[in-house]
């Protein structure tokens, strides 16, 4: 148990700085015989996927599956993380810098891609630091710029290799390095090492007794720079207080055994035996790879990641062919065939070839019958969902036929039914198409309704014109008003204004305006101007010629006014009023009064009552 016989203490911090999101990520795992630390920095702007977290978890996940300190394994960890970022690059290309450390508690090996860094301190002094895979580092190696200018050079973020690169992926993997008690490692992202130089790191380490104290000191140094903008920064410190001590005798026994083998090979001529040993080593590696790839494929099947499972099974079969294990080749071929059918079915669904997808799923279900290494219920669910897609598209087609036949109500019913099923089965593409179709149906129905109402309005307008011509003005107004309401509803403004003008014209015909009256005499209330009889005030103080009575029913010389408000018998003739006598000076003879002949009555229309005299005129008539 190496872990129990050693002491590795870890402390870390990760902050977002001046930003809302933190694109850095750190994780580690310590097993009984081996340990791994991973730090990553996201280089993309994806708002949904954290590339640093995804890459670090991928490396750590593959390490936990196959823990090893070998160079081959560490390279595979990084390659798998690189492939994962490429596979998840849907909206933008995901990319990240990453550094990984693996130790067996006695030795250490690390890998770097990008510009996250590893610093190694021994006896309180910097022993070495990892190299960035950047243009600035290349310039330092070529002695184009000084090494102390690297951390601030403008090309320090111009990376030549990183996770997710579209070019050839070339991570750096170190050799195994021995560990000693008291060694200290620091993992840092650019947000920290750009602002805290190695000398400041070393000074902080002198006073630190544990990783947390040292990390806090480094953070204080960074914040004391009082930068206007602080980038995401992450730092992880590993204090190696005690390493695992191996048995020296065991080491010498291994050396002696290897030397003996080499001596035997040399004495035997070495050539043929060396070739056979290399071949045996290749076959052994292939056998190991065969089982590893198959195990990885089974894990991908459990996660429903069929494309990755297909690749893993293919690699396993290639290894089985090298080993010449025919049984394993046959078993893997079966797994590949089933997985390929599922992958083809999923691709057909994506391409909207639902009949083809159903055929692939049916064949896959038939092939996996009775097997426990494939998830049969999941494939059945895929098949049922695809059948629903087929039904949705069939109903849509029926609706299209009715739409072309201008049966919009029938088309709408099919579209609604298909859209409901599409929503239930999460058929996003179909639901979107059906929503568009329903909008088209609604547009057509609205147009037909407008045309129908336009015809109704025209019909009412025509009825109004006919009523107007027949001088039925009330009927014309009613028809015009109803037509105006219809035009208003469908938004035909010019027709609305036309109906308004026609209604006004009909109202003028129905209620003509009053005629103007003579000066000084306002119109009499209660009768039209056309039917009013002229009324002449009578001077009631002057004598009247008695030989010509004006009205037989009442004497002329009365204090009451001549024109009474009481109704007059329509059958009796109305005579003209007697003009008032002429007023002369005192003691002068009064000239004779000329009277109108009594035999000439003034005919008054029978439909209107007699007009009432104006009170002001009556008062003026009685004044001498």
């Amino acid at each position: 148990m190496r872990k129990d016989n050693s002491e590795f203490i870890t402390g870390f911090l990760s902050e977002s700085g001046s930003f809302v999101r933190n694109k850095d990520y750190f994780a580690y795992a310590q097993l009984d015989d081996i340990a791994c630390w991973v730090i990553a920095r996201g280089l993309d702007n994806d708002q949904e996927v954290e590339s640093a977290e995804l890459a670090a978890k991928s490396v750590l996940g593959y390490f936990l599956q196959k823990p090893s300190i070998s160079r081959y394994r560490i390279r595979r960890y990084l390659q798998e993380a690189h492939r994962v970022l490429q596979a998840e690059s849907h909206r933008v290309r995901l990319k990240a810098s990453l550094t990984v450390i693996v130790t067996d508690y006695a030795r250490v090996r690390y890998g770097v891609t990008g510009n996250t860094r590893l610093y190694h301190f021994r006896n309180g002094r910097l022993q070495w630091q990892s190299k960035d895979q950047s243009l600035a580092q290349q310039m330092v190696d070529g002695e184009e710029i000084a090494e102390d200018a690297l951390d601030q050079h403008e090309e320090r973020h111009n990376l030549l290799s990183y996770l997710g690169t579209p070019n050839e992926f070339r991570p750096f993997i170190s050799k195994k390095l021995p560990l000693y008690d008291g060694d200290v490692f620091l993992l840092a992202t650019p947000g920290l090492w750009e602002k805290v130089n190695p000398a400041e790191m070393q000074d902080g380490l002198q006073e630190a007794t544990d990783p947390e104290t040292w990390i806090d000191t480094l953070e204080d140094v960074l914040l004391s720079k009082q930068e206007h903008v602080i980038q995401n920064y992450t730092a992880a410190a590993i204090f190696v207080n005690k390493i695992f001590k191996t048995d020296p005798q065991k080491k010498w026994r291994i050396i002696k055994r290897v030397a003996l083998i080499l001596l035997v090979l040399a004495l035997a001529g070495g050539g043929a035996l060396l070739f056979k040993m290399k071949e045996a080593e290749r076959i052994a590696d292939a056998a190991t790879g065969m089982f590893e790839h198959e195990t990885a494929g089974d894990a991908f099947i459990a996660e429903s990641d069929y494309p990755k499972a297909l690749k893993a099974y293919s690699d396993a079969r290639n290894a089985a062919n090298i080993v010449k294990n025919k049984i394993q080749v046959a078993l893997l071929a079966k797994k590949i065939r089933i997985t390929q059918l599922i992958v083809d079915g999923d691709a057909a669904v994506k391409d909207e070839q639902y009949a083809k997808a159903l055929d692939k799923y049916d064949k896959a279900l038939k092939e996996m019958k009775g097997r426990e290494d494939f998830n049969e219920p999941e494939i059945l669910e895929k098949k049922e969902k695809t059948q629903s897609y087929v039904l949705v598209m069939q109903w849509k087609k029926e609706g299209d036929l009715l739409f072309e036949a201008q049966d919009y109500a029938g088309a709408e019913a099919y579209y609604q039914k298909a859209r409901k099923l599409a929503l239930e089965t999460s058929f996003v593409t179909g639901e979107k198409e059906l929503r568009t179709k329903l909008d088209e149906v609604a547009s057509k129905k609205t147009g037909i309704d407008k045309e129908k109402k336009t015809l109704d309005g025209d019909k009412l307008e025509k009825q109004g014109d006919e009523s107007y011509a027949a001088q039925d003005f009330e009927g014309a107004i009613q028809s015009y008003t109803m037509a105006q309401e219809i035009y208003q509803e469908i938004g035909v403004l010019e027709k609305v204004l036309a109906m308004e003008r026609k209604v006004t014209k009909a109202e003028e015909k129905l209620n003509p305006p009053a005629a103007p009256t003579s000066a000084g005499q306002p119109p009499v209330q209660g009768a039209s101007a056309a039917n009013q009889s002229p009324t002449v005030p009578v001077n009631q103080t002057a004598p009247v010629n008695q030989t010509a009575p004006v009205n037989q029913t009442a004497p002329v010389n009365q204090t009451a006014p001549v024109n009474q408000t009481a109704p007059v018998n329509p059958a009796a003739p109305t005579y003209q009023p007697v003009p008032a006598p002429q007023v002369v000076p005192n003691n002068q003879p009064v000239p004779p009064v000329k009277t109108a002949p009594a035999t000439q009555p003034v005919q008054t229309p029978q439909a209107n009552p007699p007009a009432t005299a104006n009170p002001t005129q009556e008062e003026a008539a009685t004044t001498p």
Side-chain angles (χ1 to χ4, degrees):
M1 301 290 288
R2 290 172 176 259
K3 179 181 178 183
D4 294 339
N5 292 284
S6 60
E7 186 179 359
F8 284 65
I9 303 175
T10 304
F12 70 95
L13 65 82
S14 183
E15 299 294 340
S16 60
S18 303
F19 299 87
V20 176
R21 301 179 63 199
N22 189 353
K23 304 289 287 184
D24 295 350
Y25 195 81
F26 170 76
Y28 71 101
Q30 289 184 260
L31 306 180
D32 290 337
D33 296 320
I34 197 168
C36 178
W37 292 263
V38 185
I39 191 169
R41 165 66 176 165
L43 305 175
D44 56 76
N45 295 319
D46 195 290
Q47 299 298 315
E48 296 184 14
V49 179
E50 296 294 348
S51 54
E53 180 180 357
L54 183 61
K57 287 183 176 179
S58 298
V59 169
L60 207 57
Y62 283 106
F63 166 79
L64 293 173
Q65 289 181 11
K66 300 293 179 181
S68 174
I69 196 175
S70 70
R71 178 175 292 179
Y72 169 77
R73 281 291 165 202
I74 294 177
R75 189 181 301 275
R76 286 298 302 273
Y77 302 154
L78 295 176
Q79 288 173 344
E80 290 296 337
H82 170 65
R83 186 180 58 80
V84 168
L85 289 188
Q86 287 183 325
E88 295 297 327
S89 297
H90 303 303
R91 290 167 297 276
V92 298
R93 182 161 58 85
L94 301 180
K95 47 191 177 180
S97 293
L98 185 142
T99 299
V100 57
I101 309 175
V102 180
T103 179
D104 60 0
Y105 300 102
R107 298 164 298 174
V108 67
R109 193 192 297 271
Y110 68 93
V112 175
T113 178
N115 61 354
T116 50
R117 288 186 182 176
L118 172 64
Y119 295 86
H120 178 210
F121 296 86
R122 180 171 292 167
N123 298 323
R125 302 184 67 82
L126 179 64
Q127 188 76 5
W128 51 262
Q129 71 180 54
S130 62
K131 290 187 176 183
D132 301 340
Q133 291 187 310
S134 66
L135 181 59
Q137 182 69 60
Q138 190 178 70
M139 295 170 70
V140 170
D141 295 340
E143 299 182 355
E144 297 179 31
I145 60 174
E147 187 172 358
D148 56 3
L150 173 63
D151 292 356
Q152 302 300 322
H153 196 272
E154 61 182 357
E155 298 294 345
R156 64 188 181 277
H157 296 301
N158 187 351
L159 303 183
L160 305 178
S161 182
Y162 52 87
L163 295 174
T165 177
N167 304 318
E168 183 182 358
F169 179 58
R170 300 185 306 275
F172 170 78
I173 310 297
S174 74
K175 62 182 181 179
K176 285 182 184 177
L177 303 171
L179 291 175
Y180 295 91
D181 293 345
D183 281 353
V184 175
F185 291 94
L186 176 67
L187 290 162
T189 58
L192 183 86
W193 60 253
E194 285 181 340
K195 304 303 177 184
V196 183
N197 59 50
E200 292 169 326
M201 295 177 187
Q202 188 170 291
D203 291 343
L205 183 59
Q206 298 295 332
E207 302 176 358
T209 57
D210 55 70
E212 288 78 9
T213 304
W214 188 33
I215 292 297
D216 291 341
T217 301
L218 296 180
E219 184 180 27
D220 291 341
V221 173
L222 185 150
L223 298 178
S224 68
K225 303 295 178 68
Q226 297 183 353
E227 297 288 338
H228 181 68
V229 177
I230 301 176
Q231 301 293 332
N232 300 157
Y233 59 92
T234 300
I238 306 165
F239 276 37
V240 183
N241 295 334
K242 179 184 177 182
I243 68 169
F244 177 75
K245 301 296 190 298
T246 59
D247 182 8
Q249 296 298 325
K250 181 179 179 181
K251 180 179 180 180
W252 280 109
R253 285 195 298 269
I254 294 173
I255 293 173
K256 288 178 181 180
R257 186 177 300 174
V258 172
L260 182 61
I261 293 173
L262 292 175
L263 179 60
V264 171
L265 289 174
L267 293 174
L273 285 175
L274 183 61
F275 173 77
K276 289 182 178 180
M277 287 187 66
K278 287 184 177 181
E279 182 66 18
E281 184 180 357
R282 188 175 74 90
I283 292 174
D285 289 342
T288 303
M290 176 182 67
F291 290 109
E292 288 179 353
H293 290 308
E294 184 177 8
T295 303
D298 293 339
F300 287 132
I301 289 293
E303 297 172 0
S304 301
D305 193 342
Y306 296 103
K308 293 180 182 178
L310 182 62
K311 183 180 183 304
Y313 288 147
S314 298
D315 292 340
R317 184 176 61 177
N318 294 336
N321 285 325
I322 294 174
V323 179
K324 298 182 180 179
N325 189 336
K326 295 182 179 179
I327 296 176
Q328 196 67 20
V329 169
L331 293 174
L332 289 167
K334 182 77 169 179
K335 288 186 176 182
I336 291 172
R337 186 163 58 252
I338 296 172
T339 309
Q340 185 67 62
L341 287 170
I342 298 172
V343 170
D344 291 344
D346 293 344
V349 170
K350 188 176 180 180
D351 295 337
E352 300 182 7
Q353 299 177 3
Y354 304 116
K356 180 181 177 180
L358 283 176
D359 179 63
K360 297 296 182 181
Y361 290 147
D362 284 334
K363 290 180 179 179
L365 288 168
K366 185 178 179 180
E367 292 278 351
M368 71 175 65
K369 197 71 175 178
R371 298 178 66 101
E372 296 182 356
D373 49 355
F374 284 89
N375 191 349
E376 186 176 353
E378 181 185 8
I379 308 306
L380 281 171
E381 184 180 353
K382 286 177 178 285
K383 178 184 175 181
E384 291 173 358
K385 185 174 287 189
T386 306
Q387 288 174 334
S388 299
Y389 292 175
V390 172
L391 188 57
V392 167
M393 300 309 294
Q394 182 179 346
W395 286 344
K396 175 181 172 294
K397 186 176 181 181
E398 294 289 339
D400 291 342
L401 293 174
L402 293 174
F403 185 87
E404 292 176 1
Q406 298 184 359
D407 182 1
Y408 302 118
E412 184 178 27
Y414 271 104
Y415 291 151
Q416 290 283 13
K417 183 168 62 171
R419 183 169 181 261
K420 181 180 178 182
L421 181 57
L423 289 171
E424 291 174 354
T425 56
S426 302
F427 186 13
V428 179
T429 304
E431 191 275 334
K432 184 178 179 181
E433 293 179 4
L434 289 164
R435 190 166 65 245
T436 302
K437 289 292 184 180
L438 286 169
D439 291 341
E440 292 178 4
V441 169
S443 178
K444 289 289 185 182
K445 291 176 69 176
T446 301
I448 292 174
D449 184 63
K450 183 175 181 179
E451 291 177 2
K452 182 178 179 301
K453 289 184 176 181
T454 301
L455 293 175
D456 292 341
D458 294 343
K459 184 177 179 181
L460 287 169
E461 182 181 2
K462 185 177 180 181
Q463 290 178 359
D465 293 341
E466 293 175 353
S467 298
Y468 186 91
Q471 298 188 358
D472 180 9
F473 302 118
E474 291 184 357
I477 292 172
Q478 183 178 3
S479 297
Y480 291 149
T481 303
M482 293 172 64
Q484 186 182 33
E485 291 176 355
I486 293 175
Y487 292 142
Q488 183 74 34
E489 182 180 353
I490 61 178
V492 185
L493 182 60
E494 62 275 11
K495 285 287 188 178
V496 173
L497 298 175
M499 293 305 99
E500 185 69 27
R501 291 191 293 270
K502 289 189 176 185
V503 167
T504 302
K505 188 176 180 181
E507 287 178 345
E508 290 176 353
K509 289 290 184 182
L510 185 64
N511 298 308
T517 59
S518 59
Q521 295 186 4
V524 180
Q525 300 293 328
S528 63
N531 296 327
Q532 291 183 7
S533 298
T535 303
V536 180
V538 179
N539 189 348
Q540 296 182 2
T541 60
V544 181
N545 191 349
Q546 299 294 329
T547 61
V550 176
N551 194 338
Q552 297 296 330
T553 59
V556 174
N557 293 328
Q558 298 293 331
T559 60
V562 175
N563 293 329
Q564 301 292 330
T565 60
V568 181
N569 186 358
T574 302
Y575 297 94
Q576 294 181 352
V578 179
Q582 197 173 17
V583 179
V584 296
N586 292 336
N587 300 324
Q588 294 293 329
V590 178
V593 178
K594 295 181 181 181
T595 62
T599 59
Q600 295 179 1
V602 177
Q603 195 69 24
T604 304
Q606 299 181 2
N608 297 322
T612 304
N614 190 311
T616 305
Q617 292 176 349
E618 291 179 1
E619 183 178 359
T622 56
T623 303

